[in-house]
Amino acid sequence: MSVLARDLSWGVGQKTIVTGISLSVKEGETLGLIGPNGSGKSSLLRLIAGLRRPRSGTVEINGRDISGVSRRSLAREVAFVQQSASTETSVSVRDVVKLGRTPHRSALAGWSREDEDAVRGALERVDMAGHSSQAWQTLSGGERQRVHIARALAQTPNVMFLDEPTNHLDIHHQIEILRMVRDLDLTSIVALHDLNLAAMFCDRIMVMQGGTAVACGTPEEVLTAPLLRRVFRVDAEISCEASCGRPHIRFAL
């Protein structure tokens, strides 16, 4: 499914947080959102995912304006993975992933074969099937994040939004999770802090600053030394990795 946003703006009270942003994401493409803290990445994600209503502008998913779509119906097509989530309740990994089936089930419906297949398939896709009965509290940070993604996959979405999914993880798990997201073959928009990870795993990158989009294009087009100096206030050398054709950023000391 494709995602199209036109002239989105949103704020709280008198403070404007997102201003006049338009973007398009083709089916199967991964768009990365990067920018300094407070640039509006998380707010923009929530607007596009239908979790917040914009002051102005529209969002279309697969050609349909989401403002006229119920939250339940939208959740059958769109999944949102937040930065982190915790619970003190004693639940198993499987119980957490089962929550992803909520949009597909009525209040009185029993657990179906379709529900079971979706949960099992989601756990297999994130390589957590062997942990299905394990207690949530015993998981590592990287394992918990994979379960978050499995819960989203259990929704059987066509579009996935991820808000800094690698936050607080070690580099091994950062790469592991972003590689997994890329290989899911879904249309996705992901907010990231690490610029090199964005270059490695995103088809295109949008750079945000002060609630607006200041650049959008391929990693090679966007990640330039002048832009990094202007937006992130850092000096850097940009080289192109021969093995993958992606830019690599080396920050100056």
Side-chain angles (χ1 to χ4, degrees):
M1 284 188 171
S2 60
V3 178
L4 177 65
R6 294 189 181 94
D7 199 27
L8 287 181
S9 295
W10 178 81
V12 177
Q14 299 299 312
K15 181 177 177 59
T16 299
I17 296 173
V18 173
T19 305
I21 290 185
S22 298
L23 60 83
S24 63
V25 187
K26 297 182 295 185
E27 183 174 355
E29 185 178 33
T30 296
L31 175 71
L33 301 179
I34 63 173
N37 289 337
S39 60
K41 301 186 297 297
S42 295
S43 296
L44 177 61
L45 270 182
R46 283 165 170 75
L47 289 170
I48 301 171
L51 300 177
R52 287 176 177 159
R53 189 172 296 275
R55 285 179 175 172
S56 63
T58 60
V59 177
E60 294 180 7
I61 294 180
N62 207 32
R64 183 170 59 161
D65 189 332
I66 67 171
S67 65
V69 180
S70 70
R71 182 68 62 84
R72 184 181 182 88
S73 178
L74 188 62
R76 294 172 184 156
E77 300 179 352
V78 173
F80 188 93
V81 179
Q82 58 186 338
Q83 292 185 31
S84 62
S86 61
T87 177
E88 298 302 320
T89 306
S90 179
V91 293
S92 69
V93 166
R94 184 173 183 274
D95 289 335
V96 172
V97 179
K98 284 175 66 177
L99 293 173
R101 297 303 299 164
T102 303
H104 298 274
R105 306 176 66 242
S106 66
L108 301 178
W111 190 252
S112 69
R113 174 62 64 86
E114 183 180 2
D115 294 325
E116 187 62 34
D117 290 345
V119 169
R120 183 174 60 252
L123 284 165
E124 289 174 350
R125 290 177 80 177
V126 302
D127 197 25
M128 288 293 289
H131 300 262
S132 62
S133 61
Q134 186 172 340
W136 167 261
Q137 291 88 342
T138 66
L139 299 177
S140 69
E143 289 170 335
R144 289 189 182 193
Q145 198 66 342
R146 292 196 315 203
V147 174
H148 287 321
I149 294 172
R151 179 175 59 183
L153 290 174
Q155 293 176 227
T156 60
N158 296 301
V159 180
M160 185 178 290
F161 302 102
L162 304 101
D163 188 8
E164 298 183 20
T166 60
N167 203 23
H168 305 309
L169 301 183
D170 60 60
I171 187 62
H172 169 76
H173 286 115
Q174 290 179 30
I175 293 173
E176 182 181 58
I177 284 174
L178 290 176
R179 181 181 289 120
M180 180 188 66
V181 170
R182 181 191 61 190
D183 293 344
L184 290 173
D185 196 29
L186 296 173
T187 304
S188 57
I189 302 179
V190 53
L192 291 168
H193 266 307
D194 191 300
L195 306 187
N196 280 310
L197 289 177
M200 289 172 63
F201 293 103
C202 298
D203 299 305
R204 289 188 301 125
I205 293 173
M206 173 176 280
V207 184
M208 297 186 64
Q209 183 179 31
T212 65
V214 297
C216 188
T218 65
E220 296 86 351
E221 294 168 338
V222 168
L223 297 175
T224 65
L227 181 137
L228 297 183
R229 187 177 303 111
R230 175 164 56 93
V231 175
F232 295 94
R233 295 183 296 175
V234 295
D235 291 320
E237 296 179 358
I238 316 295
S239 59
C240 188
E241 296 293 313
S243 59
C244 62
R246 299 288 183 122
H248 177 76
I249 303 167
R250 183 174 182 272
F251 296 101
L253 298 178

